[in-house]
Amino acid sequence: MKTLVVRGGRPLCGTVFIHGAKNGVLPLLAATLLSNEPCTLDGCPEITDAACAAEILSCLGCRVGRCGERICVNAADGTGVRIPRELSGKMRASVTFLGAMLARHGRAELFAPGGCVLGERPIDWHIRALEALGVTAETDGQLLRFAWKRRRGGETELPFPSVGATENLMLAATGAPEPVVIRGAAREPEIAELGCFLRDMGAEIEGEGSDAITVFCSKPLHGANRRVLPDRIETATYLAMTAACGGDLSVRHTDPSLLLPVLEALERAGCTLRCLDDSIRLVSDGRLRGVGSIRAEVYPGFPTDAQAIVTAALLRAEGLSEMEDAVFPHRFRHVSELRKFGADVRTVGSRAVIRGVARLNPANAEVTDLRGGAGVLIAALAAKGESRIANAELLLRGYAALDTYLQKLGAEVFFA
Ligand code: EPU
């Protein structure tokens, strides 16, 4: 277990270069399983979730090589159909390999996917939507077994635009003999990115980025190369850190158009922002004001992954802020950790109510989940004095070079 020591109370100044998106690279890695030919992904962040996805591919028989931010996968021998319990349980995105294995082999076996505890995270919608395409599912209570003997295309519909289920269906659909139409699809940029990669591999895709996606594959998919899109949540995290601590931050290699609701919230809180095509500059004097109500929703709404992060930035904002989460209504485990810093924040149903306090005190706290942990880190950076954050290895699931980036911005942060 790692502890992050933070000596907070300093402004953050300088430049960060955003990595490829965690939630973008994981489905792309799953997609590499669909071809017998090599695929190359550039801009892969060095985070433990990407390492876990690479391990799943190796375990399925693929040859995987990593050189810096480039991952090459040759899935010619990727004949495995079972993800072992240990790897299934390490992260939620292990479930995305289900669609890829079904397309390639017509069979897939895995255990309940792990990942951050954000309340209930079932995979019932994945299963029901796959069943509509002729997939059968059974379980002995532990192992989940899927088979696609009578493959068929047609329409399948999600009751809610689940990101993971949409990705799974797109991947599985490449193995159907007829076109598949996915209705009620998620519209997140990472989905559009998966659609582009599948098209690069030779699939016919229409509508990615809308709520109805059509996938058709008339011939075997070939290899492809792609650069992973920038991480909008890593971007939001460094912006929120600077908003909370004060400072002058330039974020480069990002895409401001992917996080407009977050930028708008930070501006409302009193930060000055300037956006160019692939960069954002944020200036904050650290004296923020409450923003009223924010509701985290599916894309293009305010992202649930930025909910804890922006909550933490508002702990010292004068006045009242409210953060509701309509995607994960129980994603508030960070709130009790934030209170350890002297913050006045409470959960009421599926919302956190924040009354800004004049100052935060250093504290010993822990990472409850990846984004909640980023929120705890923001509180520690804004509190003058030494804080210690336990379970900090969880932050490395999604943030590459976290300590070195923060040190470059002037923060005193190190792993103990
Ligand atoms: N849901 C169900 N049944 C299902 C699938 C989802 O009830 O079969 C519910 C979930 O419990 C949740 C809601 O639907 O309440 C949305 O879940 P979704 O399936 O969209 O989320 P996910 O695919 O499990 C991805 C990201 C999350 C991000 C969400 C929402 C990856 C690997 N994970 O999760 O990212 O919060 O979409 O945008 O892409 C993170 O990066 O820290 C993270 C948790």
Side-chain angles (χ1 to χ4, degrees), residues 22-24 26-27 49 92-93 96 116 118-127 160-165 167 186 188 232-233 298 304-305 326-329 331 369-371:
K22 169 179 88 78
N23 293 342
L26 300 175
D49 271 15
R92 174 75 177 179
T96 313
C116 289
L118 312 175
E120 290 272 297
R121 292 185 84 181
I123 56 165
D124 51 339
W125 299 337
H126 299 235
I127 297 175
F160 178 89
S162 154
V163 172
E167 291 165 350
E188 268 64 6
R232 57 199 168 104
I233 306 303
V298 297
T304 166
D305 290 341
V327 180
F328 289 104
R331 193 176 194 172
D369 57 274
L370 173 60
R371 308 305 176 183

Side-chain angles (χ1 to χ4, degrees), residues 319-339:
L320 197 69
S321 307
E322 272 191 21
M323 187 65 80
E324 182 180 359
D325 198 322
V327 180
F328 289 104
H330 303 291
R331 193 176 194 172
F332 291 105
R333 292 173 77 215
H334 51 280
V335 165
S336 54
E337 296 305 307
L338 296 177
R339 291 170 65 88

Side-chain angles (χ1 to χ4, degrees), residues 45-255:
E46 298 195 40
I47 52 174
T48 50
D49 271 15
C52 179
E55 229 181 302
I56 291 176
L57 285 168
S58 302
C59 179
L60 297 176
C62 307
R63 271 180 289 140
V64 186
R66 176 158 204 151
C67 179
E69 295 206 328
R70 168 172 286 187
I71 297 184
C72 302
V73 182
N74 184 333
D77 298 324
T79 53
V81 290
R82 179 185 289 196
I83 304 179
R85 186 195 302 266
E86 189 215 331
L87 289 175
S88 298
K90 260 193 188 167
M91 64 167 185
R92 174 75 177 179
S94 60
V95 76
T96 313
F97 287 83
L98 164 60
M101 286 189 285
L102 281 172
R104 175 107 187 246
H105 307 298
R107 280 175 59 206
E109 298 179 359
L110 65 154
F111 294 84
C116 289
V117 182
L118 312 175
E120 290 272 297
R121 292 185 84 181
I123 56 165
D124 51 339
W125 299 337
H126 299 235
I127 297 175
R128 259 182 263 143
L130 285 167
E131 282 172 343
L133 302 176
V135 172
T136 56
E138 56 181 48
T139 178
D140 58 6
Q142 307 228 358
L143 183 67
L144 301 158
R145 279 203 188 87
F146 297 86
W148 199 10
K149 291 201 178 102
R150 280 199 215 111
R151 296 183 185 223
R152 62 169 187 261
E155 281 200 14
T156 184
E157 181 155 11
L158 291 168
F160 178 89
S162 154
V163 172
T166 303
E167 291 165 350
N168 241 334
L169 289 167
M170 289 169 76
L171 292 165
T174 64
E178 303 117 22
V180 171
V181 182
I182 306 162
R183 297 207 182 276
R187 295 190 286 160
E188 268 64 6
E190 294 76 18
I191 304 270
E193 178 82 351
L194 175 62
C196 291
F197 188 52
L198 293 175
R199 189 178 295 116
D200 293 346
M201 294 175 81
E204 290 165 43
I205 310 271
E206 273 171 32
E208 77 275 17
S210 79
D211 62 359
I213 304 175
T214 306
V215 180
F216 182 48
C217 248
S218 50
K219 45 188 185 306
L221 295 182
H222 50 73
N225 302 347
R226 190 152 195 95
R227 173 165 283 280
V228 180
L229 83 169
D231 196 318
R232 57 199 168 104
I233 306 303
E234 187 191 28
T235 305
T237 305
Y238 285 104
L239 293 174
M241 283 171 173
T242 310
C245 297
D248 185 344
L249 176 77
S250 289
V251 185
R252 306 274 304 276
H253 295 177
T254 189
D255 183 346

